[in-house]
């Protein structure tokens, strides 16, 4: 049974920072790419960032490059998304989610599993 424990999020003014975290079981942590996508009201899902914890290969959506940083803590089976210089357009529900990993060690494929998400609001 996969379980994603998300925390963080909240409300912040434009230019501020927030940090999201996503904790999983050891098996899930080592077998998948972990990351976030977001969905704002009335908009399509948007890839935010992800990382394969096996080698640290990470990716970012174009709209967050240079502002968001994804990292991992192998002692806690947790990945973090540090979000800096937040903008009102970053307002959305953020979902920690799993993706597959290809033979080259990069995240690939559709998001396969996520749970309830956490709201980020930037005013």
């Amino acid at each position: 049974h996969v379980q994603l424990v998300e925390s963080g999020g909240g409300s912040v003014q434009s230019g501020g920072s927030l940090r999201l975290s996503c904790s999983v079981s050891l098996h899930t942590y080592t077998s998948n790419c972990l990351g976030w996508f977001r969905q704002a009201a009335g908009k399509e899902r948007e890839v935010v960032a992800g990382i394969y914890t096996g080698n640290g290969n990470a990716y970012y959506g174009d709209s967050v490059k240079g502002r968001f940083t994804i990292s991992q803590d192998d002692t806690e089976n947790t990945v973090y998304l540090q979000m800096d210089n937040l903008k009102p357009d970053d307002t959305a529900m953020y979902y920690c989610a799993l993706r597959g990993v290809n033979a080259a060690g990069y995240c690939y494929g559709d998001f396969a599993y996520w749970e309830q998400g956490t709201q980020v609001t930037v005013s």
Side-chain angles (χ1 to χ4, degrees):
H1 175 68
V2 177
Q3 185 176 18
L4 307 173
V5 179
E6 301 180 65
S7 64
S11 297
V12 67
Q13 291 189 335
S14 183
S17 298
L18 288 170
R19 189 176 79 159
L20 307 182
S21 66
C22 181
S23 298
V24 298
S25 68
L26 177 61
H27 176 73
T28 299
Y29 185 78
T30 58
S31 304
N32 295 275
C33 175
L34 296 169
W36 280 267
F37 68 86
R38 67 188 183 187
Q39 189 159 23
K43 295 187 178 180
E44 294 185 354
R45 182 186 304 174
E46 180 183 9
V47 171
V48 177
I51 189 167
Y52 173 44
T53 58
N55 57 21
N57 285 339
Y59 65 89
Y60 297 91
D62 288 341
S63 63
V64 307
K65 285 179 182 176
R67 300 187 298 121
F68 290 12
T69 304
I70 193 167
S71 62
Q72 63 188 82
D73 182 342
D74 295 343
T75 66
E76 299 290 337
N77 301 338
T78 299
V79 294
Y80 298 96
L81 183 68
Q82 178 66 39
M83 305 185 292
D84 297 319
N85 191 22
L86 283 160
K87 304 174 182 180
D89 283 349
D90 295 316
T91 296
M93 188 71 77
Y94 284 68
Y95 298 88
C96 177
L98 308 181
R99 293 180 70 188
V101 182
N102 64 18
Y106 290 91
C107 303
Y108 92 114
D110 293 332
F111 290 104
Y113 182 84
W114 59 92
E115 295 189 355
Q116 73 277 9
T118 186
Q119 178 68 38
V120 170
T121 302
V122 185
S123 60

